[in-house]
Amino acid sequence: MDAVIVDLDGTMVDTLGDFDAALNATLRDLDRPTVARTDIERMVGKGSMHLLRSALAHGGLDGPSVATVLDSAWAHYQRHYRAVNGQHSEVYPGVVEGLVALRKQGLRLACLTNKPLAFARELLRTKALDVHFAQVFGGDSFARSKPDPLPVIETCRALASAPARTLVVGDSLNDAQAARGAGCPVVLVSYGYNHGAPVHDAGADAVVDRLDALPAWLGSVDRRPQ
């Protein structure tokens, strides 16, 4: 491998608390039913707008009704998320150690998330993870977001790395599908948010329990007979 593309929410940082605070504050502003954390965990992963649509539908609004309040909901959500970003979240064990070890191996790192870029950059800075990444891209950085392969392809281009030599690391089927579509190998973490489905069924090359297990896995791949 020449480079590694790493997801953010559910892979490096447990941000469920931030989503809970911002989303339910938004729903209360709109006089809509709030959403339980277990439901939020199944909804996250496809971007903030998808999360809002899912939460509004979960509260009983049909498609046309969701569309009529979505602009207002988005404005409220951005305000609330900006206020809580990073306050109710924690870096997963092994993340910092894993990133440091990958960089020591000479790998170029990029963070690619479906979170809006401004929020992603602020969260990485708050958690002191930004120093590890040569590139950071969000859900609004490209014309399409994961699970579409376009963001992965463009991130490979930014890293000057061929997809076949660029490992994608994430926590969900979104990451696996985007990686496969781009022609990249993919490893998923066993924790995180996979829409309530078993992550081992997502079709990754491997599933690891901690990010600091990646260097050893990469070493084992390199030692396999060709």
Side-chain angles (χ1 to χ4, degrees):
M1 295 295 108
D2 295 322
V4 182
I5 299 173
V6 190
D7 178 51
L8 181 51
D9 298 303
T11 300
M12 290 192 287
V13 184
D14 181 359
T15 48
L16 193 60
D18 289 345
F19 287 125
D20 185 5
L23 180 60
N24 281 316
T26 298
L27 295 172
R28 286 189 288 269
D29 287 347
L30 301 174
D31 294 322
R32 300 305 306 165
T34 55
V35 184
R37 286 177 71 126
T38 52
D39 293 316
I40 296 172
E41 187 171 0
R42 289 193 291 271
M43 296 174 185
V44 299
K46 294 186 177 180
S48 299
M49 194 63 77
H50 178 271
L51 174 62
L52 278 174
R53 289 194 188 98
S54 300
L56 290 165
H58 184 80
L61 292 183
D62 58 19
S65 299
V66 168
T68 63
V69 302
L70 198 55
D71 286 346
S72 175
W74 178 240
H76 283 281
Y77 180 79
Q78 285 185 300
R79 175 169 55 85
H80 287 301
Y81 203 95
R82 189 175 296 109
V84 303
N85 192 3
Q87 293 184 14
H88 308 283
S89 61
E90 297 292 338
V91 177
Y92 288 109
V95 167
V96 173
E97 296 89 342
L99 296 176
V100 169
L102 292 171
R103 290 175 65 205
K104 285 183 177 179
Q105 289 186 350
L107 295 164
R108 301 185 294 278
L109 305 187
C111 175
L112 174 62
T113 172
N114 279 349
K115 183 189 290 296
L117 179 59
F119 293 156
R121 287 190 182 280
E122 178 63 20
L123 181 61
L124 289 169
R125 186 194 64 79
T126 299
K127 300 303 181 184
L129 297 175
D130 56 329
V131 298
H132 300 290
F133 295 99
Q135 303 283 346
V136 179
F137 298 110
D140 50 357
S141 294
F142 306 107
R144 297 182 295 277
S145 57
K146 298 180 291 185
D148 193 284
L150 175 67
V152 176
I153 293 169
E154 292 298 330
T155 303
C156 288
R157 183 174 290 116
L159 290 168
S161 178
R165 296 183 62 83
T166 305
L167 176 67
V168 173
V169 181
D171 69 312
S172 74
L173 181 62
N174 280 339
D175 302 298
Q177 290 178 335
R180 293 301 188 210
C184 296
V186 57
V187 170
L188 300 180
V189 295
S190 59
Y191 50 85
Y193 324 128
N194 189 37
H195 321 294
V199 73
H200 287 81
D201 296 340
D205 293 294
V207 175
V208 296
D209 294 329
R210 291 168 54 110
L211 224 61
D212 54 3
L214 277 176
W217 181 82
L218 285 169
S220 69
V221 171
D222 288 341
R223 289 191 297 270
R224 291 176 189 170
Q226 299 299 311

